């Protein structure tokens, strides 16, 4: 029903990690490409095929950058 003003005590090491910047950018590109594909197909244009391919590429880039960031957090001593 609303904020009670009480905060749960923070456990060190349990804070969520921010999303990597390149993963965020590629996620935005993916969402915009899907929207453009929907609009293109709705207008009867076959250009939507290009937008679908771009959305797939951006989606793969998002997963790659997220997995890479997760691997870097898991091995903090490794340089890459």
């Amino acid at each position: 029903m609303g904020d009670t003003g009480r905060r749960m005590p923070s456990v060190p090491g349990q804070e969520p990690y921010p999303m990597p910047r390149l993963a965020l950018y590629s996620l935005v590109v993916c969402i915009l490409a899907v929207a453009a594909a929907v609009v293109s197909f709705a207008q009867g244009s076959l250009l939507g095929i290009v937008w679908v391919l771009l959305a797939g590429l951006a989606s793969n880039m998002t997963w790659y950058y997220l997995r890479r960031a997760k691997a870097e957090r898991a091995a903090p001593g490794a340089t890459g």
Side-chain angles (χ1 to χ4, degrees):
M1 296 280 216
D3 189 16
T4 60
R6 296 185 338 208
R7 302 196 107 228
M8 296 299 291
S10 178
V11 178
Q14 295 296 319
E15 293 83 18
Y17 289 100
M19 188 173 200
R21 186 170 295 169
L22 287 175
L24 183 62
Y25 291 158
S26 60
L27 179 63
V28 169
V29 169
C30 180
I31 291 169
L32 291 175
V34 168
V38 168
V39 169
S40 293
F41 284 129
Q43 292 179 350
S45 173
L46 292 179
L47 187 62
I49 295 170
V50 175
W51 291 115
V52 168
L53 293 174
L54 181 63
L57 176 66
S59 171
N60 287 341
M61 289 174 61
T62 301
W63 284 116
Y64 170 76
Y65 287 122
L66 285 174
R67 284 182 21 221
R68 188 172 101 179
K70 183 178 178 182
E72 287 175 356
R73 284 193 308 266
T79 59

